[in-house]
Amino acid sequence: MTEPWNYRPEVTGAGVDLIGFDVEATDGKIGSVDEQSDTVGENYIVVDTGFWIFGKKVVMPAGTITRIDPQERKVFLSRTKEEIKNAPEFDADTYKDSAYRQQVGDYYGRYDQPL
């Protein structure tokens, strides 16, 4: 299993400014990248889901990213819409805390799909 907060070795485009890119779950578009962190060991994107789940934002660890397409301006994830919808609640005040990152990492690590 890949460390959830690092990009998978096969993902090219890591380090590209992803803000504004569309985000695709395994079963369709879920929103767009609102924010990203490229801090070593703490790589993630914050996805604004817009109207899909009532404007909720979600933190997606870099390990959930399977592909980045800079030409199409899309980020592809290894998770379904349902898995993303049920992710730990985003809180603008605490989402950068290590306890929250642990909760998110544990959540995405529960699925049989490798990160």
Side-chain angles (χ1 to χ4, degrees):
M1 180 185 296
T2 302
E3 159 57 41
W5 301 103
N6 292 317
Y7 287 96
R8 298 166 185 236
E10 69 272 16
V11 172
T12 58
V16 170
D17 181 3
L18 302 175
I19 295 173
F21 278 39
D22 288 334
V23 180
E24 298 275 339
T26 59
D27 54 352
K29 182 179 175 181
I30 62 159
S32 61
V33 178
D34 188 55
E35 185 179 331
Q36 82 183 79
S37 169
D38 287 325
T39 303
V40 175
E42 297 179 8
N43 297 295
Y44 61 84
I45 58 174
V46 175
V47 179
D48 183 343
T49 63
F51 294 109
W52 172 56
I53 47 177
F54 307 109
K56 180 177 175 181
K57 291 185 180 184
V58 292
V59 173
M60 299 301 302
T64 62
I65 296 172
T66 58
R67 186 165 64 99
I68 297 170
D69 185 333
Q71 286 73 34
E72 294 287 324
R73 295 184 49 83
K74 289 186 179 182
V75 175
F76 296 86
L77 305 176
S78 64
R79 299 298 186 251
T80 66
K81 289 179 176 182
E82 190 67 21
E83 290 168 340
I84 294 164
K85 181 180 177 183
N86 295 324
E89 191 70 31
F90 178 86
D91 181 330
D93 295 328
T94 62
Y95 78 99
K96 293 182 180 181
D97 295 348
S98 61
Y100 177 77
R101 282 196 313 274
Q102 179 70 44
Q103 183 183 17
V104 170
D106 289 348
Y107 173 78
Y108 286 111
R110 289 191 306 192
Y111 295 97
D112 293 332
Q113 302 166 329
L115 281 177

